[in-house]
Amino acid sequence: MVNTVTFSFSSAEYEGTEATETFSFEKLGIDENMDEKALERELEQIFQAWVWHKLNISYSVIRGKSDTIQ
């Protein structure tokens, strides 16, 4: 039997912003004999990298002054 993990995210704020993808442990380079806590940490790190890659966010923070708030 092949161990797999499915990553998924969606945004309630931005319609259509969602993704789901399933990977085998082998493809992710995860040792199937890893203890549970180490596995959770590893999957969390891989998931965060996957989300950032999928979102491909660029951003800026612009500070200024205005007489009106929009």
Side-chain angles (χ1 to χ4, degrees):
M1 184 183 297
V2 175
N3 282 325
T4 62
V5 63
T6 300
F7 295 151
S8 180
F9 74 86
S10 63
S11 172
E13 187 71 23
Y14 301 102
E15 189 175 319
T17 305
E18 56 186 51
T20 300
E21 201 167 354
T22 301
F23 302 94
S24 68
F25 277 29
E26 180 181 15
K27 180 167 180 135
L28 295 175
I30 296 174
D31 178 1
E32 295 185 17
N33 299 315
M34 192 180 293
D35 73 73
E36 195 64 30
K37 284 193 175 204
L39 177 59
E40 286 179 27
R41 283 191 304 268
E42 184 71 15
L43 287 175
E44 181 64 29
Q45 289 174 347
I46 294 169
F47 173 74
Q48 288 179 18
W50 177 81
V51 168
W52 279 109
H53 175 75
K54 291 293 181 192
L55 291 177
N56 193 20
I57 294 172
S58 62
Y59 66 92
S60 61
V61 176
I62 301 171
R63 186 171 174 236
K65 294 183 179 184
S66 176
D67 292 335
T68 62
I69 299 175
Q70 297 178 355

